[in-house]
Amino acid sequence: MLPRHATAVASPNIALIKYWGNTDDALRLPVSPSISFNLAELQTRTSVTWDSSLTADHVVINGHPVTGPALERVAHHLDHIRALAEHAGFARVDSANNFPTGTGIASSASAFAALSLAATSALEMTLPERELSALARLGSGSASRSIPDGFVAWYTGEDHASSFAESFAPTTHWSLVDLIAVVSQEHKSTGSTAGHRIAPTSPLQAARIATAQERFECCRDAVLGRDFAALAEVVELDNNVMHGVMMTSTPPLLYWEPLTLNLIKLVRQWREEDGLAVCYTIDAGPNVHCICTAQAAAEVENRLRALPGILDLRRATPGAGAHLVSTPTDPA
Ligand code: PMV
């Protein structure tokens, strides 16, 4: 049988309302709903070839064959697709990011979104967007949000089928800019999968969950109304509540570096004293995402570039969800 092949592209996303902690770790069902937009300029491109001559899955990431836990995580995700498609074969996966690894920009969301779309399409399965989002969620929770376009909400859901993400405003709805200040290029010591597992050990997680729906609705309204002042307030609050949980978990997760805190203070000062439309949010690492309006972006970028200690600065805007692409090397 001829190898079956497809290539997909997906972007990572930045959460405005964060996902931290699961009600079911195996299914990655989140304890609370979250909101994000895809980062158009950052992309993962993944080709999947199902090949009956293979005796195991082969995975190449950024040109290097992977083994150990990284290979197992991809193979485990392919197991879900094999089960869904009732397909017994193995696959060759070739995945590359257009942003350097080691910039501290998480790529698991774009990786599992692109993998889910390419692997199912190569088997000629056309899943409805909700099902594709739920499938991507099994690889990495936030990957569910890299499937739809534009501004995206991921609902907690009650089971596998009902926990998916969908778009609530198109990419063009609001020309926000994410200026990502890379503070450290070191690999984080505790990844998010382990972090979600220990979230319930924080005495603050129950309060975070109890108030999450309110922040989710407030953020969705701020996005829909293009109300930057309201957005900034809820994005920073939600970020601080999540990092409060991280810092008070057992063991504590302290992702920030001194420069992270400096940037937090500066961003607030720029907004409150200088009237710049910018706010901050931080994932499971020390890098600071400075979310600003298109009008404020050039001034914020200039100010960030003038600061000592920032290793790299990336600019991203709201983008498309995962989509298929054809490549000249596709087998006919
Ligand atoms: O999808 P994961 O397991 O990598 O978790 C992502 C967690 C955060 O980036 C910290 C928050 C979020 O909602 O993206």
Side-chain angles (χ1 to χ4, degrees):
M1 197 202 279
L2 276 177
R4 296 192 276 179
H5 180 89
T7 300
V9 164
S11 290
N13 61 76
I14 182 63
L16 302 171
I17 295 294
K18 304 297 196 186
Y19 150 55
W20 198 248
N22 294 315
T23 52
D24 183 319
D25 285 321
L27 289 177
R28 297 180 196 266
L29 297 179
V31 292
S32 57
S34 54
I35 289 180
S36 64
F37 63 84
N38 294 323
L39 304 174
E41 291 76 2
L42 310 179
Q43 292 181 346
T44 299
R45 186 186 185 95
T46 302
S47 294
V48 175
T49 308
W50 295 97
D51 185 341
S52 53
S53 68
L54 293 175
T55 53
D57 296 318
H58 284 268
V59 178
V60 172
I61 298 179
N62 294 321
H64 304 288
V66 297
T67 54
L71 172 63
E72 280 163 30
R73 191 165 171 189
V74 173
H76 182 59
H77 197 62
L78 292 172
D79 286 341
H80 294 303
I81 294 161
R82 280 186 270 267
L84 207 60
E86 298 178 5
H87 178 84
F90 293 103
R92 231 182 352 258
V93 175
D94 194 337
S95 188
N97 298 326
N98 75 350
F99 49 100
T101 42
T103 53
I105 298 165
S107 57
S108 67
S110 50
F112 282 99
L115 177 66
S116 301
L117 179 57
T120 51
S121 302
L123 290 172
E124 282 159 24
M125 299 167 73
T126 310
L127 297 183
E129 188 182 88
R130 289 176 175 196
E131 285 179 34
L132 192 61
S133 171
L135 173 64
R137 192 202 72 237
L138 296 172
S140 173
S142 56
S144 64
R145 298 190 310 239
S146 284
I147 297 292
D149 284 329
F151 293 85
V152 170
W154 171 21
Y155 310 108
T156 49
E158 284 154 13
D159 52 17
H160 172 68
S162 57
S163 186
F164 58 84
E166 68 183 13
S167 179
F168 67 93
T171 301
T172 52
H173 170 71
W174 198 6
S175 50
L176 293 177
V177 177
D178 181 9
L179 294 168
I180 309 162
V182 178
V183 162
S184 165
Q185 297 178 331
E186 273 172 37
H187 197 73
K188 58 192 172 198
S189 51
T190 307
S192 47
T193 299
H196 294 299
R197 285 183 200 276
I198 62 166
T201 64
S202 165
L204 306 185
Q205 177 72 338
R208 178 179 169 272
I209 297 168
T211 52
Q213 181 69 24
E214 201 180 309
R215 288 190 299 278
F216 171 86
E217 284 168 19
C218 182
C219 180
R220 194 181 45 193
D221 289 350
V223 170
L224 288 173
R226 299 186 195 91
D227 180 345
F228 194 85
L231 183 78
E233 201 174 312
V234 74
V235 165
E236 292 184 355
L237 173 62
D238 191 75
N239 173 81
N240 295 349
V241 172
M242 178 185 74
H243 282 273
V245 167
M246 291 166 161
M247 289 177 194
T248 51
S249 298
T250 305
L253 299 174
L254 296 161
Y255 286 117
W256 298 358
E257 293 296 329
L259 186 53
T260 313
L261 187 57
N262 286 347
L263 283 167
I264 287 174
K265 289 183 167 185
L266 277 174
V267 164
R268 285 189 64 85
Q269 193 184 317
W270 294 345
R271 186 169 76 252
E272 286 169 6
E273 291 174 21
D274 306 336
L276 274 180
V278 57
C279 66
Y280 63 83
T281 188
I282 301 149
D283 284 339
N287 301 329
V288 181
H289 292 251
C290 301
I291 311 290
C292 50
T293 59
Q295 294 85 340
E299 176 62 20
V300 174
E301 186 167 346
N302 286 341
R303 291 184 182 206
L304 289 170
R305 288 203 186 278
L307 293 175
I310 294 177
L311 304 176
D312 193 9
L313 191 63
R314 301 260 146 187
R315 187 182 197 279
T317 52
H323 52 279
L324 289 170
V325 289
S326 55
T327 53
T329 52
D330 279 359

